[in-house]
Amino acid sequence: MMDESNEIILQKSKRLTSVVWNYFERVRKADVCYAVCIQCNKKLSGSSNSGTTHLRNHLMRCLKRTNHDMSQLLTPKRRKKENPVTVATINFDEGQAKEEYLRPKFDQDQRRDEVVLSRGSGGRFSQERSQVDLARMIILHGYPLAMVDHVGFKVFARNLQPLFEAVPNSTIEDSCMEIYIREKQRVQHTLNHLYGKINLSVEMWSSRDNANYVCLASHYIDEEWRLHRNVLNFITLDPSHTEDMLSEVIIRCLIEWSLESKLFAVTFDSFSVNEEIVLRIKDHMSQSSQILINGQLFELKSAAHLLNSLVEDCLEAMRDVIQKIRGSVRYVKSSQSTQVRFNEIAQLAGINSQKILVLDSLVNSNSTFVMLETVLEYKGAFCHLRDHDHRFDSSLTDEEWEWTRFVTGYLKLVFDIASDFSGNKCPTANVYFAEMCDIHIQLIEWCKNQDNFLSSLAANMKAKFDEYWNKCSLVLAIAAILDPRFKMKLVEYYYSKIYGSTALDRIKEVSNGVKELLDAYSMCSAIVGEDSSFSGSGLGRAMDTRDRLKGFDKFLHETSQNLNTTSDLDKYLSEPIFPRSGEFNILNYWKVHTPRYPILSLMARDILGTPMSICAPDSTFNSGTPMIADSQSSLNPDIRQALFCAHDWLSTETEGTIPNSI
């Protein structure tokens, strides 16, 4: 070998125009020309007769260049030459396929599975990784699967990364299914190793083509006292589906996710679910689990859906009056001159409201409430308009104005409460008791109204509310008791207003219910043993163990008169009420006080994690069944479920413990 000092670096001539010479030094040793890689110093033939293909191949394999972007090192002139395709320069010649224009012209040596990049997964481009990222993006943001077939998307992807190969719709479906299966295993593992019990919510969905679906979601509080919600299934119902088949759907879900022994309660979006459905579920569960306190807490109804139903009853009863109000607003806004005349009359009547009259939306009951509330402020102006404009024929009678005032006042209470529910980022069960008691008291007062129309409307609404209250009042009250700011005092305060002379009996029922529930937790804890991991499944499976002395454990617990359990509850109730001032996080409270109330905290975890309302945070209070996107309604049921569930799981992973509604 010759001494390297004899090597002479040659000045690049103008003829060396290939981009590869940006990464090689051309040197001469004696009469031989070499190309020396500036990254790894490897010598390759650099004679003009050798061409550049072997140099390009070396660059593709040079591991020391994996963190460099070739396109970034090119001069602007050469970069433009090497990447001629842009959206703005595409012109389709007659008779030439569009696909040819969508593919940038690169040397065949560059069409490899991996190319040099400055950033990314290991610095290398991966078609498989990019395909998975595309599927993940479609799932996370709800984009239609068909977007991969759109010309605009193909052009964008090609210009962003020329080596990305367009994939057909069926391929991206497969990638979405792979993500769904992987994420499902992760969720399954979490649920199987959960410390406490799991609650299930059941919500009906629909589409614009009148198809029906059922969304099943789990709700629980983990060991770190964080509230979680995970969609489990999104099932397409057969057109011949009957209501009694809902129990089969729920049971299949419990079996699929192995939740029979961990289920605490089921919350339905409809308050009129057939009792046979609940009985079938209870019967199935009783084969592998213990249903606490005879199932008094098992079947629950969504508070948000109840409120929505009560609003619909109000608006339906006021339909004719509301139609006249719409006519009044429409007339005032029919022309600028009419609007000016109305404003002048409002000023003469001493009305200083800054609100603007607007027509409501028929699909948003909240907008109807806003319209009614605004019209009431301009009542005097509408009454005077009737006297000054003979063409105005939509005016209300004094009785109808009074109905409007009462109904609007009630709607305000309902919408304020619904707004609190939907805006709560951590909707634990303790936040519902006081709100529902306020509605209960309002309905009682309404029923006493001397006006037959208002009292009849209130009676119908109260009958519906009582059906909800009979199912949920015990859970609501226990959750309030587990709030250290209220304990039994809040129950005593509201029950005295609701039940009057029979309040003490009702309070006693709640007190007995708390003790009975805690007794069940205490018994199971004693059977499992202090050294065992007490989980939700232990409540059911502990009874089925082969321990020959399990009967003795039960006898010991019963004959000891539950002294430990009683002292645990009494200790909590006897201590001072926690102040209501300032920020308060009930989950943090129980996380800190778990060592002090070991059994009570187990019960608190399951009760507070119960979904008392199926309502997504920050959702608008609209009427009607939630609907899926049109792009999903035509999909295969399996891929539809995969997209729906995976969206929820990825959103939870990305944004926190409580995801947005799909």
Side-chain angles (χ1 to χ4, degrees):
M1 295 181 61
M2 297 179 63
D3 194 316
E4 292 191 15
S5 62
N6 295 326
E7 296 180 356
I8 302 175
I9 299 178
L10 301 180
Q11 189 71 23
K12 291 184 174 69
S13 69
K14 294 183 178 179
R15 290 179 298 173
L16 301 179
T17 58
S18 175
V19 295
V20 300
W21 288 110
N22 287 333
Y23 310 103
F24 288 90
E25 292 289 353
R26 196 166 188 243
V27 300
R28 174 177 291 170
K29 183 181 296 185
D31 294 330
V32 181
C33 288
Y34 295 96
V36 181
C37 177
I38 63 176
Q39 299 298 321
C40 66
N41 294 323
K42 183 173 182 177
K43 293 180 180 180
L44 296 95
S45 176
S47 66
S48 58
N49 295 330
S50 300
T52 59
T53 299
H54 66 296
L55 302 180
R56 191 183 300 277
N57 290 341
H58 171 74
L59 288 176
M60 299 296 295
R61 295 190 295 268
C62 184
L63 297 179
K64 293 187 177 181
R65 294 190 59 261
T66 55
N67 290 325
H68 293 276
D69 185 354
M70 187 185 302
S71 65
Q72 296 298 323
L73 298 176
L74 296 176
T75 63
K77 182 177 180 180
R78 289 179 176 175
R79 190 180 303 122
K80 182 177 181 181
K81 183 177 179 180
E82 292 292 318
N83 297 275
V85 177
T86 63
V87 176
T89 59
I90 290 180
N91 292 305
F92 296 107
D93 294 334
E94 185 175 352
Q96 191 168 8
K98 293 182 179 181
E99 185 63 22
E100 294 179 17
Y101 288 93
L102 296 178
R103 295 179 179 272
K105 296 180 180 179
F106 282 86
D107 294 342
Q108 292 299 319
D109 296 328
Q110 286 182 281
R111 294 195 174 280
R112 302 296 180 93
D113 290 337
E114 296 180 346
V115 298
V116 178
L117 292 174
S118 60
R119 296 178 180 85
S121 179
R124 298 175 182 271
F125 168 74
S126 167
Q127 172 73 18
E128 181 181 358
R129 178 69 257 177
S130 297
Q131 187 173 308
V132 171
D133 288 342
L134 174 58
R136 186 182 180 91
M137 178 189 72
I138 289 174
I139 292 172
L140 188 59
H141 300 289
Y143 297 142
L145 288 170
M147 71 176 288
V148 299
D149 296 326
H150 298 167
V151 172
F153 173 76
K154 291 181 178 180
V155 172
F156 169 77
R158 281 293 177 190
N159 288 333
L160 189 65
Q161 174 46 259
L163 294 182
F164 177 75
E165 297 287 345
V167 293
N169 199 321
S170 58
T171 301
I172 207 66
E173 278 191 12
D174 292 340
S175 296
C176 290
M177 287 298 299
E178 291 173 2
I179 293 174
Y180 163 73
I181 293 172
R182 183 174 64 251
E183 291 298 313
K184 181 177 180 180
Q185 292 172 346
R186 179 181 62 83
V187 175
Q188 180 87 66
H189 180 270
T190 300
L191 296 180
N192 288 342
H193 293 82
L194 186 65
Y195 189 72
K197 287 276 193 176
I198 293 174
N199 298 278
L200 189 70
S201 64
V202 182
E203 185 176 26
M204 302 303 298
W205 284 60
S206 64
S207 62
R208 289 208 299 179
D209 57 0
N210 295 321
N212 293 314
Y213 315 90
V214 58
C215 176
L216 303 173
S218 64
H219 304 253
Y220 61 89
I221 295 174
D222 65 15
E223 293 184 39
E224 296 300 319
W225 288 89
R226 293 172 298 193
L227 183 64
H228 294 261
R229 172 188 176 272
N230 292 120
V231 171
L232 301 180
N233 295 94
F234 189 77
I235 300 170
T236 303
L237 298 178
D238 188 271
S240 61
H241 166 80
T242 56
E243 188 183 62
D244 59 350
M245 291 176 61
L246 184 59
S247 60
E248 298 179 15
V249 171
I250 296 174
I251 291 172
R252 284 201 302 268
C253 171
L254 296 176
I255 296 174
E256 177 184 353
W257 291 89
S258 303
L259 298 181
E260 298 103 316
S261 62
K262 299 174 75 72
L263 186 62
F264 182 79
V266 181
T267 302
F268 296 92
D269 62 349
S270 173
F271 58 90
S272 58
V273 173
N274 193 318
E275 285 294 329
E276 288 296 323
I277 294 177
V278 181
L279 290 177
R280 290 193 190 101
I281 300 172
K282 286 183 177 179
D283 182 64
H284 175 78
M285 281 193 57
S286 64
Q287 301 173 19
S288 58
S289 178
Q290 175 188 7
I291 299 179
L292 301 175
I293 59 173
N294 299 320
Q296 296 180 60
L297 311 177
F298 184 76
E299 179 192 358
L300 304 174
K301 311 297 181 181
S302 169
H305 288 76
L306 169 71
L307 299 185
N308 181 66
S309 180
L310 297 181
V311 168
E312 289 179 350
D313 289 347
C314 277
L315 298 182
E316 176 61 25
M318 290 282 290
R319 181 177 53 185
D320 294 339
V321 176
I322 292 174
Q323 190 61 37
K324 292 177 68 174
I325 291 175
R326 290 193 186 106
S328 299
V329 174
R330 191 176 292 111
Y331 178 80
V332 170
K333 300 179 72 66
S334 62
S335 67
Q336 186 176 0
S337 59
T338 305
Q339 181 74 64
V340 170
R341 187 185 310 115
F342 181 80
N343 292 339
E344 293 173 349
I345 293 175
Q347 290 181 356
L348 292 174
I351 300 173
N352 298 318
S353 176
Q354 300 299 315
K355 294 183 179 180
I356 300 175
L357 290 172
V358 291
L359 283 171
D360 63 332
S361 167
L362 298 181
V363 297
N364 188 341
S365 53
N366 192 36
S367 67
T368 303
F369 161 69
V370 172
M371 181 184 71
L372 297 180
E373 194 175 42
T374 304
V375 165
L376 281 171
E377 294 194 15
Y378 287 98
K379 174 185 174 182
F382 279 108
C383 292
H384 284 87
L385 182 63
R386 177 183 55 189
D387 299 331
H388 292 81
D389 191 339
H390 65 278
R391 294 179 302 170
F392 179 62
D393 59 359
S394 298
S395 60
L396 275 63
T397 65
D398 292 341
E399 185 179 48
E400 289 171 336
W401 278 114
E402 190 66 11
W403 293 349
T404 303
R405 184 176 68 84
F406 267 90
V407 169
T408 302
Y410 180 74
L411 290 178
K412 177 173 174 54
L413 172 65
V414 173
F415 281 116
D416 285 347
I417 291 174
S419 178
D420 290 341
F421 289 169
S422 63
N424 196 315
K425 299 296 183 181
C426 188
T428 47
N430 59 299
V431 304
Y432 295 91
F433 179 74
E435 307 282 20
M436 302 310 289
C437 284
D438 284 337
I439 291 179
H440 199 169
I441 293 170
Q442 182 67 53
L443 284 172
I444 293 173
E445 292 301 315
W446 252 35
C447 289
K448 300 176 182 177
N449 197 291
Q450 297 299 314
D451 186 282
N452 291 332
F453 170 79
L454 293 176
S455 62
S456 176
L457 172 60
N460 292 334
M461 294 168 63
K462 188 175 183 303
K464 185 175 292 186
F465 182 89
D466 287 344
E467 186 177 347
Y468 162 85
W469 188 253
N470 290 337
K471 295 289 185 183
C472 302
S473 60
L474 182 57
V475 175
L476 291 171
I478 294 176
I481 293 171
L482 293 172
D483 190 326
R485 298 170 298 171
F486 305 126
K487 300 187 179 181
M488 281 297 299
K489 292 299 181 181
L490 191 66
V491 176
E492 295 169 0
Y493 168 76
Y494 274 112
Y495 274 30
S496 63
K497 292 178 174 292
I498 294 172
Y499 295 111
S501 60
T502 62
L504 291 179
D505 293 335
R506 297 287 186 170
I507 295 171
K508 184 65 174 178
E509 291 175 1
V510 172
S511 179
N512 290 339
V514 174
K515 293 177 180 178
E516 185 178 355
L517 181 62
L518 189 62
D519 186 61
Y521 275 84
S522 178
M523 181 182 297
C524 292
S525 178
I527 294 174
V528 172
E530 293 182 0
D531 295 331
S532 299
S533 176
F534 177 76
S535 66
S537 60
L539 286 172
R541 293 174 182 170
M543 296 297 185
D544 299 326
T545 60
R546 298 181 61 84
D547 183 4
R548 297 180 182 276
L549 293 179
K550 64 180 181 180
F552 169 73
D553 291 329
K554 184 176 180 181
F555 169 78
L556 183 65
H557 172 78
E558 292 174 347
T559 54
S560 65
Q561 298 180 350
N562 304 321
L563 294 179
N564 292 333
T565 300
T566 303
S567 62
D568 195 16
L569 178 61
D570 288 345
K571 185 194 306 181
Y572 168 76
L573 294 177
S574 63
E575 292 180 349
I577 297 289
F578 208 79
R580 287 201 304 121
S581 59
E583 293 293 329
F584 176 76
N585 187 315
I586 192 170
L587 297 183
N588 285 343
Y589 171 88
W590 280 104
K591 181 178 181 179
V592 171
H593 289 80
T594 293
R596 183 170 179 79
Y597 312 115
I599 306 301
L600 192 61
S601 65
L602 296 174
M603 188 179 81
R605 189 194 306 273
D606 296 337
I607 288 289
L608 296 176
T610 304
M612 299 307 301
S613 183
I614 306 174
C615 183
D618 297 323
S619 64
T620 304
F621 190 81
N622 293 332
S623 59
T625 303
M627 301 183 68
I628 65 171
D630 292 342
S631 60
Q632 292 191 356
S633 61
S634 59
L635 297 175
N636 174 279
D638 290 336
I639 188 64
R640 183 189 299 117
Q641 174 171 251
L643 292 174
F644 193 99
C645 295
H647 168 87
D648 177 82
W649 301 334
L650 293 180
S651 299
T652 303
E653 179 182 341
T654 303
E655 300 175 11
T657 56
I658 302 296
N660 292 329
S661 185
I662 308 300

